[in-house]
Amino acid sequence: MSRDWSLLLGMLLALLACVLLWVLHGALMDQPGPRLADLAAANVPYSGVSNPVTSVLLNFRAYDTLLELAVVLAALLGIWALGPAVPGFQPSGPVLASMVSWIVPLLILAGGYMLWVGGHAPGGAFQAGALLGAAGVILRLGGDPRAGLPDETMQRWLAVAGTAVFTLVGLALAAAGEGFLTYPTDWAKWLILLIETAATIAIGVTLAAAYVGGRP
Amino acid sequence: MTDLLPLAVAVPLLAALLVTALPRQAALLGVLGAAATTLAAGAVLTAVWLNGALTADLGGWGVPLGISMRANGFAAALLAMTALVALATSVYATGYFADSPKAVHFWPLWLLLWASLNALLLAADLFNLFVTLELLGLCAAALGALTGSADAVKANLRYLLVGLLGSTTYLMGVALLYSAYGALDIALLAEHIAAGGDENNAVDAAALTLMTVGLALKAALFPLHFWLPPAHANAPAPVSAALSALVVKGAVYIIVILWLELFASVATASAAMVLGLLGAAGVVWGSWRALRAARLKLMAAYSTVAQIGYLFMFLPLIAATPPGPARDNLFAALVLMALSHGFAKAGFFLAAGLVQQQAGHDRIDDLGGTAQQMPATTFTIGLCGSALIGLPPSGSFIGKWLMMQGAIEAGQWWWIVVLLIGTLLAAAYTFRVLSRAFGLEPTPLRFVTDARSEIPALMLALTAVGVLGLAAGPLWTLLGLGAGGAA
Amino acid sequence: MILFALGIWSFLSHEALLRKLIAFNVMGGGVFHVFIAVAYRGDTAPPDPVPHALVLTGIVVAVSATALALALGGRAQDAADHD
């Protein structure tokens, strides 16, 4: 694209940004507006977890999160479809190897903590899964071509585990007469923990496998 | 009853997971999953037919805190079309990918794409729509690049990026609406917007513009269609069929909902006119390029740009028509056009894929004799072509007829000119293919040469021409419209 | 908003995939910031958790899309090298 066009486009978009800013400012300042905050806050005690963001993600709007797990899976499937992985890096020297050998367990431990803490403070399955994925990335950078992942069959099962557990819990609740993804209040905490655990493992495996970048 | 709606998403989703985990049985499990999904969609259609619109509150929280799903007649009609087209495509794919290692990658993404389409059609929440759009876009681009050729990968990378640009723009519109109204549910927001009057005009207009532009990118509305022809023409045939017939419709469906439901109280006739004019430009430009296209699949892809244009031409007409039977007829005609294009274009792409496999290429000028070798496939292309032209008794004939009626009643004669040009060009490009298809080679005695892949395409073509045209009446009932009967 | 517009601008005016992807993420960042701003309800009230959750979902979606786009880009490069 030529420089003149780029400049013209920039000016037009700057104008757009100003208009949007003005609109947003108007919407935010004129009236504090009805928000879902109070409604959400009132229902958090019944959601099975005490962190409001987690209760939105895994209870009030759990369906969004289910589809979001499917998006992560779709990206991995798309990457697998593109062909075999590129070869990894050469094995690392002793210094790097020993550093990797204690960072990876720490990351896994931190992932587990993130998962548990998500119930009452910021954290949760995606953050924990990201840490697991990071452990895989470090392993691969350290020379393990498979990034610490199991064989193909196992990888496939683990990658679908999060979405599968989520969907099956939803359907089981529907079959039990509660409705799709409608957790009974007493069970909510444990069902959410179950879903989050499966999701953490799936996201960790998916991210590491996506980093490896090709069919296992 | 209400569990039916999540079921229509959960079934293809679970099937996608199963074929991912068990790649060796992919084709068998995939077809079983397709059949189960079709049953679920059929159940939704029957329930809507019997009881009217359905809603489901997921998680039992109800709106505005929770997410709800809903199926009205419009959604159910598209859901059923999706199911039939996708089922036919699935059966076709077992033949198309029979000996190909690509099958392992095709099935999971394909079922995931289907799940996202169902989720999109049944969504009643603006943010939920965003997630389904992204899932749809990712699956579609990954499937489109499945052949692995440089052209396909490049075209679909562009498709993915354009889609991301579009959905992020859409999301900005959602953010604006949430800032003003604190809700994401479509029906609830529509009430707020109608009740708000002039108070939030700037927010409404900005959100509507952002969301429409973002979605128009994904719907390939002229002049934002540039990404579509290469992406659709370079994908494997079953994928092209789904991309052209179904995926693009997803974005169109959301735009129609935005204009006729969510922003019904603020969308002005002049703004709708802009969309209609862009649609008309798309009709003329797409048809012209289709006529000039050198390759069969590229021709079909350009024809999609044109057919999408027709759908947008309905918006100003509906906006100009006062509520009543005339308006209901126009809306039903829009749905009818969308449905018959879905069937016809899917059938066309599937048949084009067979021609490509048989002849080794799809250059239109060198297709001499194909008709003799593949009678059923050529018949399919002819039928689909007649539905694209809008010959009676196809569904699009009734659609175009009603559009003309509406244009005359609204005093907007210029749409009729566009309609005539588009129809003439469509006839020209269809006959161009058919005229090349016949040569002097000996004709085989059998009408069908490969049942597994030829029959599904033919079924789709027959649905577009026969079923939708002759039995369009029930559509009015399904949509819950008073004025009965096709024109 | 400025991030959003800046993102669109560089998305449209840069050819290279990496730049386009960074632009897309900047753009997404702009949208997410709007959501965060919407969630703020004054110094006394707790913030609205719903937009926070939407942002988290949006980020994960953006990460997935970026990963797929990078893989497609790499593949396109490979295919171009072989031709």
Side-chain angles (χ1 to χ4, degrees):
Chain A
M1 191 178 281
S2 79
R3 211 177 167 76
D4 294 344
W5 273 110
S6 177
L7 199 66
L8 182 66
L9 194 69
M11 272 153 48
L12 281 177
L13 284 167
L15 198 68
L16 172 80
C18 293
V19 172
L20 287 180
L21 260 179
W22 170 72
V23 167
L24 181 71
H25 186 262
L28 285 179
M29 293 305 144
D30 282 1
Q31 353 118 285
R35 312 266 173 82
L36 294 180
D38 301 327
L39 196 58
N43 281 298
V44 165
Y46 309 104
S47 70
V49 284
S50 56
N51 177 14
V53 177
T54 307
S55 38
V56 174
L57 276 177
L58 279 134
N59 202 333
F60 307 147
R61 298 184 66 90
Y63 177 54
D64 269 350
T65 310
L66 169 64
L67 290 179
E68 171 195 355
L69 281 172
V71 172
V72 179
L73 181 66
L76 178 65
L77 289 171
I79 291 170
W80 276 350
L82 288 170
V86 286
F89 301 93
Q90 58 178 16
S92 53
V95 179
L96 187 57
S98 66
M99 197 183 86
V100 166
S101 70
W102 64 264
I103 281 190
V104 167
L106 265 185
L107 277 172
I108 294 174
L109 204 64
Y113 171 72
M114 271 289 180
L115 173 64
W116 176 254
V117 85
H120 50 89
F126 285 95
Q127 292 85 334
L131 286 177
L132 289 190
V137 171
I138 287 182
L139 276 175
R140 179 157 159 99
L141 286 175
D144 178 354
R146 287 239 303 261
L149 292 167
D151 67 352
E152 175 175 354
T153 316
M154 200 59 199
Q155 262 188 54
R156 286 179 174 274
W157 279 106
L158 289 178
V160 302
T163 324
V165 168
F166 213 146
T167 316
L168 289 175
V169 167
L171 285 179
L173 289 170
E178 296 282 348
F180 190 73
L181 287 176
T182 307
Y183 318 121
T185 312
D186 301 341
W187 292 17
K189 180 176 183 186
W190 300 107
L191 287 176
I192 288 178
L193 194 63
L194 172 71
I195 292 171
E196 285 216 285
T197 310
T200 302
I201 295 170
I203 292 166
V205 169
T206 308
L207 290 179
Y211 180 72
V212 171
R215 207 171 53 236
Chain B
M1 256 320 181
T2 53
D3 286 338
L4 274 179
L5 300 185
L7 208 59
V9 177
V11 169
L13 189 58
L14 278 180
L17 302 179
L18 259 182
V19 293
T20 310
L22 298 168
R24 281 197 204 98
Q25 281 84 37
L28 175 68
L29 289 173
V31 172
L32 288 178
T37 311
T38 310
L39 285 181
V44 172
L45 180 71
T46 320
V48 173
W49 176 264
L50 295 175
N51 309 325
L54 295 177
T55 56
D57 283 327
L58 302 181
W61 299 102
V63 292
L65 186 57
I67 301 179
S68 69
M69 297 172 87
R70 56 109 183 251
N72 51 21
F74 185 26
L78 287 177
L79 193 74
M81 186 266 282
T82 302
L84 289 179
V85 169
L87 181 65
T89 309
S90 301
V91 175
Y92 175 91
T94 57
Y96 188 87
F97 288 115
D99 309 312
S100 163
K102 298 282 178 204
V104 175
H105 301 300
F106 169 77
W107 287 103
L109 283 165
W110 167 242
L111 290 164
L112 215 48
L113 177 95
W114 195 346
S116 69
L117 270 169
N118 283 359
L120 186 150
L121 293 171
L122 298 175
D125 181 285
L126 289 180
F127 189 80
N128 190 233
L129 272 176
F130 165 75
V131 182
T132 62
L133 264 178
E134 290 287 41
L135 184 57
L136 187 63
L138 256 63
C139 293
L143 279 170
L146 208 55
T147 56
S149 73
D151 284 345
V153 174
K154 248 199 273 175
N156 280 285
L157 176 58
R158 186 157 70 155
Y159 172 39
L160 178 67
L161 289 175
V162 167
L164 292 177
L165 185 64
S167 51
T168 311
T169 311
Y170 166 86
L171 189 61
M172 187 55 112
V174 178
L176 282 182
L177 283 181
Y178 187 84
S179 73
Y181 300 106
L184 295 164
D185 184 75
I186 293 175
L188 198 65
L189 270 174
E191 276 174 33
H192 284 322
I193 291 174
D198 291 340
E199 214 172 301
N200 279 320
N201 258 346
V203 177
D204 297 341
L208 178 60
T209 313
L210 283 172
M211 293 164 90
T212 307
V213 171
L215 291 167
L217 257 175
K218 290 184 91 94
L221 174 63
F222 183 89
L224 304 174
H225 66 281
F226 55 91
W227 55 267
L228 184 144
H232 286 195
N234 285 310
V239 178
S240 310
L243 290 181
S244 253
L246 308 175
V247 175
V248 177
K249 296 280 160 45
V252 177
Y253 169 77
I254 304 178
I255 293 184
V256 171
I257 287 195
L258 289 185
W259 282 75
L260 299 184
E261 186 182 347
L262 181 56
F263 292 101
S265 55
V266 292
T268 57
S270 51
M273 188 62 81
V274 174
L275 281 188
L277 287 175
L278 292 177
V283 169
V284 176
W285 176 251
S287 305
W288 175 248
R289 289 300 301 261
L291 184 60
R292 302 292 307 272
R295 291 173 45 211
L296 196 55
K297 281 170 80 181
L298 196 61
M299 185 197 105
Y302 271 113
S303 145
T304 298
V305 175
Q307 299 284 332
I308 294 296
Y310 286 122
L311 302 181
F312 281 101
M313 278 163 61
F314 278 103
L315 288 179
L317 285 175
I318 293 179
T321 311
R327 190 181 165 120
D328 290 352
N329 272 341
L330 275 174
F331 181 64
L334 189 160
V335 180
L336 198 55
M337 289 281 282
L339 295 182
S340 48
H341 172 248
F343 286 115
K345 190 51 61 68
F348 197 104
F349 263 119
L350 295 186
L354 290 174
V355 170
Q356 195 176 21
Q357 278 191 331
Q358 168 83 17
H361 66 84
D362 66 339
R363 289 185 301 277
I364 297 173
D365 286 343
D366 304 333
L367 283 182
T370 320
Q372 270 80 356
Q373 287 163 24
M374 312 173 82
T377 297
T378 309
F379 185 52
T380 305
I381 291 185
L383 277 182
C384 292
S386 75
L388 294 178
I389 302 170
L391 293 178
S394 69
S396 46
F397 168 70
I398 301 171
K400 286 185 175 177
W401 183 264
L402 289 174
M403 184 193 260
M404 273 169 50
Q405 243 182 8
I408 294 169
E409 277 170 26
Q412 300 181 356
W413 52 268
W414 49 89
W415 304 123
I416 300 177
V417 178
V418 177
L419 202 64
L420 289 177
I421 297 177
T423 306
L424 278 177
L425 286 173
Y429 63 69
T430 303
F431 288 122
R432 179 170 157 243
V433 175
L434 291 179
S435 70
R436 301 282 178 195
F438 296 91
L440 296 171
E441 284 80 3
T443 307
L445 291 171
R446 284 146 48 93
F447 177 64
V448 175
T449 47
D450 176 19
R452 192 160 48 155
S453 43
E454 282 190 324
I455 299 279
L458 187 58
M459 284 296 150
L460 291 178
L462 286 173
T463 314
V465 175
V467 180
L468 278 182
L470 300 175
L475 186 65
W476 269 252
T477 323
L478 179 66
L479 293 171
L481 301 176
Chain C
M1 280 304 163
I2 294 170
L3 283 180
F4 178 67
L6 202 65
I8 299 184
W9 175 72
S10 41
F11 192 97
L12 294 178
S13 62
H14 290 297
E15 289 289 323
L17 169 69
L18 213 55
R19 289 193 173 209
K20 271 195 192 298
L21 276 178
I22 293 172
F24 155 66
N25 279 291
V26 169
M27 205 179 142
V31 179
F32 300 149
H33 275 88
V34 170
F35 270 116
I36 300 280
V38 171
Y40 175 75
R41 302 185 308 149
D43 293 329
T44 46
D48 186 348
V50 176
H52 285 220
L54 302 186
V55 168
L56 282 176
T57 307
I59 289 174
V60 175
V61 168
V63 167
S64 314
T66 309
L68 182 61
L70 281 175
L72 280 172
R75 174 74 201 182
Q77 193 65 50
D78 286 352
D81 291 346
H82 286 297
D83 286 347

